[in-house]
Amino acid sequence: MRFGFKFSNLCGSVYSQGNLLFTPDGGSLLSPVGNRVTVFDLENSKSLTLPTENAKNIDCVALSPDGTVLITVDEEGRALLINFRRGSVLNYFNFKTRVSAILFSPCGKYFAVSHGKLVQVWMTPSLKREYAPFVLHRTYGGHFDEVVSLDWSTDSSYFISGSRDLTAKIFSLEPSPGFPVNFAGHKDTVIAAFLPKEEDTAYTVARDGCLVAWQK
């Protein structure tokens, strides 16, 4: 009898923390489950847990717009670079601080990650195994407390960040006069911020439930 067993699925564990993601086609939902990621097939009512495994419980995940590159970050800021379609780890990286938000740009060339009071934008790694696949593009500052939410504009030229300092800011990917743009007025942590297709409007949501629409 042969015993060539390999990991198949994870049963009995439940969601406890981290963000949820839809695949680009909207047919599946990605959910952190402890230190692994489970993919729920919404069309066929099935689930599959990826064989990859972080050292600690996963805090946040990000999937590239083409659905090929998955990044999972645990509670201590250690990240896995994963080939999502194959379910294999390509590389490891340490952001050296707890990460509250990570998000790929719509163009797929960059991903933004919260880094304490700062926001870092990195070049998206390729699916090839490289010695140092993570290349930093720029670091953006201006908040006085931890950044907890991120969102990109549809053209990937700008992104908005929400922070525990009760403000949100719009940054330009490349240096540009007039940036960052500051939004102040909330009385609690800005847990979500959005840049919709309408470029003259931005939305921010605070932990106390307050939603504010900002217009030019």
Side-chain angles (χ1 to χ4, degrees):
M1 181 180 292
R2 296 182 179 181
F3 294 96
F5 296 108
K6 63 179 182 179
F7 178 80
S8 176
N9 210 341
L10 182 66
C11 302
S13 186
V14 296
Y15 170 86
S16 61
Q17 65 183 28
N19 60 306
L20 305 177
L21 285 180
F22 285 99
T23 53
D25 62 5
S28 299
L29 179 70
L30 277 66
S31 170
V33 180
N35 63 345
R36 295 180 183 268
V37 174
T38 296
V39 183
F40 295 94
D41 186 338
L42 304 178
E43 298 176 349
N44 300 304
S45 300
K46 297 180 180 180
S47 68
L48 171 68
T49 300
L50 300 181
T52 58
E53 188 176 11
N54 286 73
K56 300 287 185 177
N57 288 340
I58 294 174
D59 252 355
C60 50
V61 297
L63 182 64
S64 61
D66 62 1
T68 59
V69 179
L70 176 67
I71 299 176
T72 62
V73 189
D74 68 20
E75 298 169 333
E76 296 184 350
R78 295 188 178 93
L80 298 184
L81 175 64
I82 300 168
N83 184 325
F84 178 63
R85 293 176 180 173
R86 294 187 177 182
S88 59
V89 176
L90 299 175
N91 219 308
Y92 301 85
F93 188 76
N94 190 353
F95 288 107
K96 299 179 181 180
T97 188
R98 189 162 189 170
V99 173
S100 298
I102 182 170
L103 186 67
F104 280 93
S105 62
C107 69
K109 295 181 180 180
Y110 308 94
F111 69 90
V113 57
S114 66
H115 197 271
K117 302 175 185 179
L118 305 174
V119 178
Q120 294 180 338
V121 173
W122 297 76
M123 306 294 292
T124 298
S126 69
L127 293 178
K128 299 179 181 178
R129 293 186 181 274
E130 301 174 328
Y131 176 71
F134 288 85
V135 178
L136 181 64
H137 175 68
R138 279 187 67 195
T139 299
Y140 306 79
H143 285 290
F144 297 99
D145 206 339
E146 182 185 5
V147 175
V148 296
S149 64
L150 295 167
D151 191 38
W152 285 89
S153 63
T154 54
D155 63 0
S156 303
S157 297
Y158 310 96
F159 63 88
I160 187 170
S161 58
S163 171
R164 295 187 187 278
D165 66 6
L166 317 185
T167 69
K169 297 182 185 295
I170 295 180
F171 295 92
S172 174
L173 181 64
E174 304 297 343
S176 180
F179 288 91
V181 178
N182 186 58
F183 299 123
H186 281 288
K187 297 181 180 179
D188 207 340
T189 300
V190 180
I191 60 172
F194 306 98
L195 291 176
K197 293 182 180 180
E198 300 80 10
E199 296 183 356
D200 60 344
T201 306
Y203 298 95
T204 55
V205 182
R207 187 169 53 187
D208 59 8
C210 178
L211 167 66
V212 179
W214 309 85
Q215 293 183 331
K216 292 183 179 178

